[in-house]
Amino acid sequence: YHSESVIFRFVMAELSETVLLSVLPSIRVPRSGDRVHKDECAFSFDNPESEDGLYICMNTFLAFGKQYVERHYQKTGQRVYLHIKRIRKLKEDDNSSIGDPPKKKPTRLAIGVEGGFDVTAQQFEYEETVDLFILPEHLFIPRDGFSGLPDVVRERISASIDAILAADSASRKQEIEAWDGEVRQVSKHAFSLKQLDNSLRIPPCGWKCSKCDLKENLWANLTDGAILCGRRYFDGSGGNNHALEHYKETGYPLAVKLGTITPDGADVYSYEEDDMVLDPNLAEHLSHFGIDMMKMQKTDKTMTELEIDMNQRIGEWEVIQESGVQLKPLYGPGYTGIKNLGNSCYLNSVVQVIFSIEDFQNKYVGQLEKIFNGAPSDPTQDFNVQVAKLGDSLLSGVYSKPSTENVAGDDDLTMEEKGEQEGIAPRMFKSLIGKGHPEFSTSRQQDAQEFFLHFINMVERNCRSSSNPNEAFRFLVEERIKCIASDKVKYTQRVDYIMQLPVPMEAAVNKEEIAEYELKKRLAEEEKSAPPDLVRAKVPFASCIEAFAEPEQVDDFWSTALQAKSVAVKTTRFASFPDYLVLQIKKFTFGLDWVPKKLDISIDMPDELDITMLRGTGLQPGEEELPDIAPPLVTPDEPKAPMLDESIVIQLAEMGFPMEACRKAVYYTGNAGAEAAMNWVMSHMDEPDFANPLVLPFSSGPGSTSTTVEPPSEDSVATIISMGFSREQAMKALKATSNNLERAVDWIFSHIDDLDAEAAMDISEGRSAADSVSESVPVGPKVRDGPGKYQLFAFISHMGTSTMCGHYVCHIKKEGRWVIFNDQKVCASEKPPKDLGYIYFYQRLS
C-alpha cells in the first residue's frame, strides 16, 4: 500500500464508534437484481490486482479506482467503500514434485497431450486484502476490525461485505465460449477407417462412460463405437483417461466427442496423430452407429472452448503462434493490448482501428473530463462514458506495460521478451454495447464488419446534436437505374459507411494452378488419400473494382414510365468520398450445404488507392427521368393473394426452420424455388420477427390478415430526429420495423432512397433497394467530400472457415511502421499479410 495508507491504519485503532455509526445508514446488502461491480472501475480499467486495488461503493455497488473514488464521493456523498486488493503469487511447489523431470514449455494449443499444457503445471494463488474505506476521513478499517462495535452494527457491516464478496460480478455473468485458434488437418485415417460390424447403435443422448459412469467429456470411438471418458486436464477436471487407454489396448485411432456433433461437424481426435483432426467422412462414420449428424445438437463444450478457457488463465500467445518468429513487443501510448474475453477478438480489432482515427480520439478522449463530469448516476450504463474510458485507456499507455503474470515453463524468457501486456479487459463496454442485441449480447464469435456497423449505429444514437465522428466514414452512394424499355432513368442517393467489394473468382490469374489442384483433390478423394496442399486463388484488385462498377440487371423492375414491370440496369457510384474509406472484401458466401464458408483468396491490395473514376455524375444532359409516381400496392400482373408453393414451404420446414418463417421466405421470393427461399432465410434469420406470422399487404383475399400497429413512442421518434432526419422519416422507419428502434435505425440508413415513397414502403420489405421508387434525397446526416485518393493505414484479418468462427487480428500503421494487434499482444509486424485481409481502412491523401 502507499505510505498514506500506512498512516491511516495507525489512526484506525482509535476510530470512534461515531464515524462508523454515521455511515451505517448508507451501507446496503446487495439484493437480487442489484448489479455488483467488483472487477472493473466505472471510469478506468483499474481492478483488484491494480497497484491501489479497487473501491466498491457499499450503497450503489459501483467500483472505482483510486483516481475516481473521491470523484464519486464528491458527486454523491457516498462515504463508505469496500476496498479489495489482490496480489497474485505462484503456488509453492510441494514435496510431491521433488525428483520430477523439468516441465516442458507448451508448444501447441492442446491440453494433456505431447507439446500441450502439462497437467502438473504451476498455477497462481491470490493473497486478498479486504478493508473498509471511509471518506472524507480517508480511513481504512480492516475487515476484522469491528470487534468493539455493537452486535447490530457489526452484523450489518459484515452482512454487506460478505454479500458483496459472494455476489456474481456484473461483468462476468456471460458464459465464455471460444475461438478456434488452430487450423486442423484432415486425418490420414479419414478415408481408410475400418469400422466393426458389431450392430452397435449409439443413442442421441444419455451417454455415460462404460468404465466409470462419467456423463461428461465423453468420446465415441469411430471403429467400435465404445463410449469412454476423455483425458484429465491440467487443473484436475476432465475425465479419467479411459478413451486413451482404449486406444492403447486396441489401436483404433479416431474418436468423436459426444455433445459436439452438429450438422456442421464435430470434434474428432486422432490418437495416432496426437491431434484434433478433420474427418470429411464423419457423417458416414457416425451413421454406421445409427447417428444422424443432421439431427444432432451441441450439448457440450468443444475441445477448443475448453482449451481457450485454460489459456485465459495461463497465457496463450506462445501456444497459438507456432511459426517461431520472434516479434518485437511494443509498449506505451497507442500500443495497448486488449484481453480476449472468450470470443471478443472481433471487438478488439475494430476498436483498435477506431481509436487510431483522429475524429474518434477528439470526440471521446479529447472530451474525457466533460463526458465523465456529465456522467449519469450509473456510468457503467452510459455509452459515451464507456467509449471514452476505452479510448483513453488504449491511448494513454497506462495499461501498456509488460505483464506481471508468469507462464509456467517459460522462465527462460522475460515478460517483456514474451510480449505479454497487462492490457485491458473491456467487459463493461462489451456488455453495454451488446445489450439487447441478439448476437452481440452473446459470447459467440461475430462478424467484425457487422460489429463495426453496430458500433457506428450506437455512436449515431448517442451523439444527438453534438459533433459526430462517424462523419469520417460516411459517404453518399449514387444509384442510377435505367429502364431498358423506355430508356428513362432514375437517380437516387443513400448513406453508407462501407464499400463492399465483390470477388470475381473467374478473374484469378493462377487458373491453371487451381485447375491442377482441383484435379489432384478429386484423385485424392477417389483414391482415399490425403488431399494436396491448398492452392489459393490470386485475384487482381483491379478486377474487384471492375466487378463493383459493373452494371447490374434488375428483373421485374416497376417502370413508372410504362406503368408495368420491365427490365432495368443499375450502376452504383460514389456521390461523395469520405475522409476514411472502409473497404470490405466479400469473401464470405454459402456452400451447397448452406453452411457459411470463406473464399480462400489472395488480393494484391494497393498501398495507395485512387477511386476517382467511381464518382457519380448525376443526371446528364439528354437523359430523361422516370416519372415520380409510386407503384400500386398490387401490380396488375400480381394476384391479390398469391398462392404459396407448399412443397417449398415443407422443404424448408424439414430443415428445422419455423413454419411461419418458411412461408414468408416463399412469399417474398415469389415462389422462385427452394434456393431463393433459403437465401431469404439466411439473410433474415437473425431478425426479431423472423418467426412471426406472415402478414400480407392486402386487405382482402385468401390468407390475408390485418393488424393494427401501435404508434411509435415519442422517445424513439426523438432519437431518430436527433440524427438529422425529419419527423416524417422517423415515423416511416419505425412503422416499417414494428416500432423497433434498433432495426429502425438500421432501416433508415439502408432505405434513404425510399423515404419519400409513401406506398413503396409497404411492399418493398422483401426486395432490394433497386426496386424502390423514390428519387429524392432527404435531408439526412452530414457527409464530407474530397478527392478520391487514399493510402492504406489499417486492415483487419480473419483466420477460420467463416465469420462465425475463427480469430481476428488487426494491423495498423503507426509512426511509419506496421504494428500487429493480436488481442493482448502488440508487436512490430515483420510481414503484414495485406493480401489476406477482410476489412481495409484507407485514409484520404492530403
Side-chain angles (χ1 to χ4, degrees):
Y1 291 105
H2 39 73
S3 59
E4 58 192 31
S5 299
V6 177
I7 298 173
F8 295 148
R9 290 184 184 279
F10 285 109
V11 178
M12 281 191 286
E14 301 180 5
L15 183 68
S16 68
E17 262 182 47
T18 307
V19 176
L20 272 177
L21 289 174
S22 68
V23 299
L24 187 62
S26 67
I27 296 177
R28 294 177 52 227
V29 177
R31 298 189 300 267
S32 176
D34 282 332
R35 287 194 298 265
V36 178
H37 298 274
K38 58 181 184 179
D39 289 328
E40 180 183 335
C41 170
F43 295 104
S44 72
F45 286 94
D46 285 357
N47 58 68
E49 294 174 37
S50 298
E51 182 179 354
D52 295 301
L54 198 65
Y55 298 80
I56 303 165
C57 175
M58 298 184 71
N59 181 269
T60 63
F61 310 119
L62 295 171
F64 305 94
K66 180 188 176 185
Q67 180 183 359
Y68 294 104
V69 65
E70 195 137 0
R71 177 198 295 260
H72 184 253
Y73 160 68
Q74 295 290 349
K75 187 171 183 177
T76 66
Q78 297 298 336
R79 298 174 56 197
V80 59
Y81 299 84
L82 187 66
H83 177 242
I84 303 177
K85 177 74 174 77
R86 280 201 295 264
I87 300 174
R88 179 172 42 222
K89 296 181 178 180
L90 283 173
K91 285 186 175 179
E92 296 181 5
D93 291 337
D94 55 27
N95 295 333
S96 63
S97 64
I98 297 175
D100 289 343
K103 296 179 175 63
K104 295 181 180 180
K105 179 167 67 175
T107 58
R108 295 178 50 234
L109 182 59
I111 298 172
V113 299
E114 183 65 24
F117 294 111
D118 188 355
V119 295
T120 61
Q122 290 178 317
Q123 299 176 49
F124 292 107
E125 60 184 359
Y126 294 89
E127 180 182 293
E128 184 173 83
T129 304
V130 178
D131 303 302
L132 213 61
F133 177 66
I134 300 176
L135 288 171
E137 293 82 359
H138 292 83
L139 293 175
F140 284 91
I141 307 176
R143 187 181 182 183
D144 57 1
F146 311 129
S147 56
L149 297 173
D151 290 347
V152 64
V153 176
R154 185 173 64 253
E155 290 172 4
R156 172 75 174 269
I157 297 174
S158 297
S160 177
I161 293 174
D162 293 343
I164 290 173
L165 296 177
D168 289 330
S169 173
S171 63
R172 291 186 179 271
K173 288 187 176 179
Q174 295 182 344
E175 180 182 1
I176 293 177
E177 295 177 0
W179 47 268
D180 190 355
E182 195 170 66
V183 178
R184 297 174 183 175
Q185 303 298 320
V186 174
S187 171
K188 65 180 182 181
H189 301 290
F191 299 102
S192 58
L193 185 70
K194 294 182 179 179
Q195 294 184 282
L196 302 185
D197 191 13
N198 54 11
S199 301
L200 179 67
R201 291 293 179 266
I202 297 177
C205 59
W207 315 291
K208 66 178 181 179
C209 176
S210 60
K211 289 190 177 181
C212 67
D213 291 338
L214 275 180
K215 296 181 180 180
E216 296 178 341
N217 190 24
L218 299 176
W219 296 76
N221 192 287
L222 290 175
T223 297
D224 62 1
I227 299 176
L228 298 155
C229 62
R231 305 175 191 241
R232 182 177 291 106
Y233 305 144
F234 78 90
D235 63 349
S237 63
N240 293 317
N241 296 319
H242 288 144
L244 175 61
E245 292 171 4
H246 183 69
Y247 160 72
K248 291 179 178 178
E249 294 169 2
T250 63
Y252 300 154
L254 298 184
V256 60
K257 187 176 185 185
L258 298 174
T260 68
I261 303 171
T262 71
D264 297 333
D267 272 358
V268 178
Y269 190 82
S270 171
Y271 291 99
E272 183 178 333
E273 294 160 283
D274 198 16
D275 207 352
M276 300 298 297
V277 296
L278 298 176
D279 180 4
N281 292 338
L282 182 59
E284 178 185 337
H285 291 154
L286 291 172
S287 66
H288 180 83
F289 298 109
I291 296 178
D292 185 347
M293 185 169 159
M294 299 305 293
K295 295 182 179 179
M296 297 297 288
Q297 294 183 343
K298 184 175 179 294
T299 60
D300 198 0
K301 284 190 176 183
T302 66
M303 289 304 294
T304 302
E305 289 168 350
L306 292 170
E307 289 161 358
I308 302 300
D309 282 345
M310 305 299 180
N311 290 343
Q312 288 183 326
R313 293 197 291 271
I314 64 176
E316 63 192 16
W317 178 268
E318 294 84 5
V319 187
I320 295 172
Q321 295 291 345
E322 298 191 32
S323 62
V325 177
Q326 185 68 39
L327 299 177
K328 178 185 177 182
L330 300 174
Y331 304 96
Y335 297 102
T336 303
I338 306 178
K339 294 180 181 178
N340 193 312
L341 302 180
N343 250 337
S344 60
C345 52
Y346 67 92
L347 179 152
N348 297 352
S349 297
V350 170
V351 298
Q352 289 283 15
V353 176
I354 288 288
F355 279 106
S356 296
I357 294 173
E358 187 176 358
D359 293 77
F360 287 87
Q361 294 174 359
N362 293 340
K363 169 67 178 180
Y364 294 105
V365 183
Q367 300 184 46
L368 185 78
E369 284 303 312
K370 179 181 177 182
I371 293 172
F372 281 6
N373 288 333
S377 58
D378 186 356
T380 69
Q381 300 301 301
D382 185 81
F383 179 81
N384 289 333
V385 168
Q386 293 307 312
V387 175
K389 161 186 162 181
L390 177 64
D392 179 63
S393 298
L394 289 176
L395 299 177
S396 68
V398 171
Y399 303 96
S400 179
K401 51 189 177 183
S403 174
T404 56
E405 219 172 272
N406 198 357
V407 180
D410 275 357
D411 297 330
D412 54 329
L413 291 177
T414 67
M415 285 297 117
E416 190 161 353
E417 288 172 334
K418 294 171 190 174
E420 291 296 339
Q421 283 196 18
E422 290 289 347
I424 60 174
R427 295 185 180 92
M428 205 174 283
F429 171 77
K430 184 177 185 295
S431 174
L432 178 62
I433 198 169
K435 187 176 181 180
H437 192 281
E439 288 299 327
F440 299 123
S441 60
T442 72
S443 294
R444 295 190 293 270
Q445 182 62 282
Q446 304 298 336
D447 187 341
Q449 179 254 1
E450 292 180 2
F451 177 75
F452 171 77
L453 290 178
H454 177 65
F455 180 83
I456 292 297
N457 276 339
M458 293 294 289
V459 171
E460 290 289 345
R461 292 187 204 180
N462 289 276
C463 276
R464 301 285 176 178
S465 57
S466 60
S467 61
N468 191 335
N470 284 346
E471 292 174 13
F473 297 126
R474 191 184 295 146
F475 61 91
L476 287 175
V477 176
E478 175 189 283
E479 290 184 346
R480 176 184 183 269
I481 298 179
K482 179 180 178 180
C483 172
I484 299 299
S486 67
D487 211 30
K488 296 181 179 180
V489 298
K490 175 175 72 119
Y491 285 86
T492 60
Q493 291 186 355
R494 59 178 171 83
V495 168
D496 213 334
Y497 295 89
I498 292 183
M499 177 186 183
Q500 293 186 313
L501 205 59
V503 181
M505 296 298 290
E506 66 278 4
V509 297
N510 58 338
K511 291 180 182 177
E512 292 183 2
E513 294 178 48
I514 296 173
E516 184 180 352
Y517 164 73
E518 293 293 342
L519 177 61
K520 290 181 179 179
K521 184 179 177 182
R522 284 196 298 272
L523 290 175
E525 290 173 353
E526 292 172 4
E527 299 171 0
K528 297 185 177 180
S529 59
D533 293 337
L534 176 70
V535 175
R536 180 175 288 121
K538 297 179 180 178
V539 181
F541 176 76
S543 299
C544 298
I545 290 291
E546 290 172 7
F548 174 85
E550 188 81 12
E552 173 188 349
Q553 181 170 310
V554 180
D555 298 317
D556 293 331
F557 172 74
W558 178 261
S559 172
T560 56
L562 305 175
Q563 285 296 295
K565 285 187 176 180
S566 175
V567 176
V569 174
K570 181 181 76 172
T571 54
T572 302
R573 295 292 185 268
F574 285 81
S576 68
F577 290 131
D579 288 351
Y580 289 86
L581 178 67
V582 184
L583 199 157
Q584 177 199 11
I585 305 297
K586 296 175 68 174
K587 57 171 63 178
F588 292 97
T589 182
F590 288 99
L592 296 176
D593 52 1
W594 298 107
V595 175
K597 68 175 185 178
K598 183 170 71 174
L599 300 175
D600 204 342
I601 53 172
S602 169
I603 300 177
D604 56 331
M605 299 299 294
D607 287 323
E608 293 193 2
L609 172 65
D610 187 351
I611 57 170
T612 305
M613 80 295 293
L614 294 179
R615 184 180 284 277
T617 60
L619 187 67
Q620 294 296 291
E623 288 184 331
E624 187 177 351
E625 292 186 88
L626 285 162
D628 184 12
I629 305 172
L633 286 176
V634 182
T635 55
D637 57 342
E638 289 180 341
K640 287 195 173 183
M643 297 297 294
L644 301 182
D645 188 332
E646 290 298 330
S647 64
I648 303 176
V649 175
I650 297 300
Q651 188 176 346
L652 293 178
E654 287 178 346
M655 296 181 187
F657 299 110
M659 180 61 74
E660 288 299 334
C662 299
R663 288 171 55 80
K664 287 196 288 188
V666 175
Y667 168 70
Y668 285 125
T669 54
N671 293 324
E675 182 173 348
M678 177 60 79
N679 277 327
W680 188 95
V681 166
M682 301 306 291
S683 299
H684 294 78
M685 63 190 304
D686 291 332
E687 296 179 359
D689 60 352
F690 176 64
N692 289 0
L694 171 65
V695 179
L696 302 180
F698 313 106
S699 58
S700 62
S704 67
T705 61
S706 62
T707 59
T708 301
V709 180
E710 292 293 325
S713 73
E714 283 302 315
D715 286 345
S716 297
V717 174
T719 298
I720 296 178
I721 291 175
S722 70
M723 298 179 192
F725 297 98
S726 69
R727 180 178 181 83
E728 182 183 5
Q729 292 163 354
M731 296 289 286
K732 288 179 181 179
L734 289 163
K735 176 184 176 185
T737 55
S738 302
N739 297 333
N740 183 301
L741 178 59
E742 182 167 330
R743 291 182 57 215
V745 173
D746 294 337
W747 186 94
I748 205 167
F749 283 112
S750 59
H751 292 77
I752 283 184
D753 54 333
D754 296 340
L755 290 177
D756 288 341
E758 185 68 37
M761 184 169 51
D762 289 330
I763 67 171
S764 63
E765 184 175 341
R767 302 180 182 177
S768 68
D771 297 327
S772 303
V773 293
S774 169
E775 65 176 342
S776 64
V777 182
V779 178
K782 179 181 176 183
V783 295
R784 303 173 188 172
D785 199 3
K789 295 183 178 181
Y790 295 89
Q791 184 173 44
L792 181 66
F793 92 97
F795 62 95
I796 295 173
S797 305
H798 173 270
M799 296 171 285
T801 56
S802 81
T803 55
M804 298 298 103
C805 65
H807 182 53
Y808 288 97
V809 300
C810 72
H811 288 75
I812 305 174
K813 200 167 189 178
K814 288 178 176 262
E815 299 177 314
R817 63 183 172 188
W818 283 100
V819 178
I820 179 173
F821 291 81
N822 188 337
D823 290 337
Q824 215 169 328
K825 187 164 185 177
V826 182
C827 293
S829 175
E830 295 289 334
K831 295 180 180 178
K834 290 183 281 188
D835 61 324
L836 301 178
Y838 173 44
I839 305 173
Y840 294 85
F841 295 80
Y842 282 86
Q843 182 179 11
R844 195 197 315 275
L845 284 169
S846 56

